[in-house]
Amino acid sequence: MKTMPFEKRLNMRLSVNIGCMIVSIILFAITFGSKNFESLRPMYAGSFIGLFVVSLSLFIRNKALRKNPEKMKKIELLETDERNIYILRVSYTIFTYVSIGILYVAMLISGFFSITVFYTIETLLCVNLLLILLIRHIVEKKY
Amino acid sequence: MNTRIAELRRQQKLSQEDLAKAVGVTRQTITSLEVGKYTASLVLAHKIARFFSLTIEDIFLFEEEENL
């Protein structure tokens, strides 16, 4: 399987970081400009500020990496090491199934207290399962 | 899966770090391969075999009952 050169990947990440910063500023401005968001403003503002701060710190990190070939090589090795990739894949798979299990149990428990919460979790569970099926179908086509 | 990586590495007086650098993986991957906790991909097996100028079968010891 061909992989993208790390430097190209790094440049792509820098563009994504800049994009996320711009989007967070725009969304932050929309949130503060609209009256509809009054009650939820702190929540939305927190999310967008968080997105901006994370994007900015990743941008600084990636920019610094590009200037330091030795460190870049080290990070590239950590990211491309096949055992690390395998560990990441297994972890994500386990995480997915554990979260679905937890959601299912939470759904059953919530049914005793609130029908609204029950249907919300049920919808979430169905969407999750449909997404897994869809992603699996797409990945299967790729390989 | 059992391998002869540690044995071959010692014969050539190489550290795990040296081998890891040569085949483009981390030292931890070499450790896991040596203790049999991780099975190398075909690409990595090929790189290691080429590094030692041997065949994959000479280094990676397949067993009949092993789940491939």
Side-chain angles (χ1 to χ4, degrees):
Chain A
M1 192 172 68
K2 274 187 181 174
T3 49
M4 197 188 285
F6 191 68
E7 210 163 337
K8 204 174 168 189
R9 226 183 310 162
L10 210 57
N11 287 338
M12 221 168 85
R13 281 179 198 174
L14 283 167
S15 310
V16 171
N17 295 152
I18 294 169
C20 282
M21 279 192 274
I22 294 167
V23 166
S24 64
I25 292 167
I26 293 168
L27 290 175
F28 188 77
I30 291 172
T31 312
F32 268 79
S34 170
K35 281 182 180 172
N36 298 335
F37 286 101
E38 236 146 62
S39 58
L40 291 168
R41 190 167 286 158
M43 159 69 184
Y44 277 83
S47 300
F48 300 142
I49 290 170
L51 179 66
F52 183 81
V53 171
V54 169
S55 306
L56 181 67
S57 41
L58 284 174
F59 179 79
I60 294 166
R61 174 192 172 257
N62 290 335
K63 201 89 179 157
L65 262 184
R66 223 170 48 167
K67 286 178 185 165
N68 189 342
E70 204 176 300
K71 207 169 177 189
M72 193 165 84
K73 205 95 191 135
K74 204 175 161 188
I75 299 289
E76 182 183 1
L77 186 67
L78 283 174
E79 283 187 18
T80 54
D81 178 64
E82 65 169 52
R83 181 174 153 270
N84 282 349
I85 294 170
Y86 178 74
I87 290 170
L88 205 67
R89 279 183 189 164
V90 172
S91 310
Y92 281 148
T93 309
I94 294 170
F95 166 77
T96 307
Y97 289 115
V98 169
S99 353
I100 285 172
I102 290 171
L103 265 182
Y104 188 72
V105 172
M107 182 188 78
L108 293 179
I109 295 169
S110 70
F112 290 102
F113 308 102
S114 162
I115 201 78
T116 313
V117 177
F118 177 87
Y119 282 124
T120 308
I121 299 178
E122 191 193 47
T123 310
L124 205 62
L125 202 58
C126 290
V127 170
N128 266 353
L129 290 170
L130 281 174
L131 271 175
I132 289 171
L133 283 176
L134 181 74
I135 291 167
R136 198 191 159 94
H137 182 69
I138 293 167
V139 174
E140 260 175 2
K141 271 190 172 178
K142 204 180 164 198
Y143 297 100
Chain B
M1 178 189 287
N2 292 327
T3 72
R4 288 180 56 221
I5 296 174
E7 178 197 330
L8 293 162
R9 192 172 53 74
R10 276 187 219 110
Q11 273 175 16
Q12 299 198 11
K13 294 188 172 65
L14 287 166
S15 68
Q16 287 184 330
E17 192 73 52
D18 296 331
L19 178 60
K21 261 188 192 166
V23 294
V25 292
T26 59
R27 188 190 54 76
Q28 288 85 348
T29 300
I30 299 296
T31 309
S32 294
L33 285 171
E34 286 185 358
V35 296
K37 265 167 69 179
Y38 175 69
T39 306
S41 69
L42 187 58
V43 176
L44 181 58
H46 182 72
K47 280 182 184 173
I48 293 171
R50 207 162 55 174
F51 178 80
F52 288 116
S53 307
L54 293 167
T55 63
I56 292 175
E57 290 91 330
D58 288 334
I59 300 171
F60 296 89
L61 313 167
F62 294 93
E63 281 166 28
E64 281 303 317
E65 66 273 18
E66 206 151 358
N67 186 8
L68 295 174

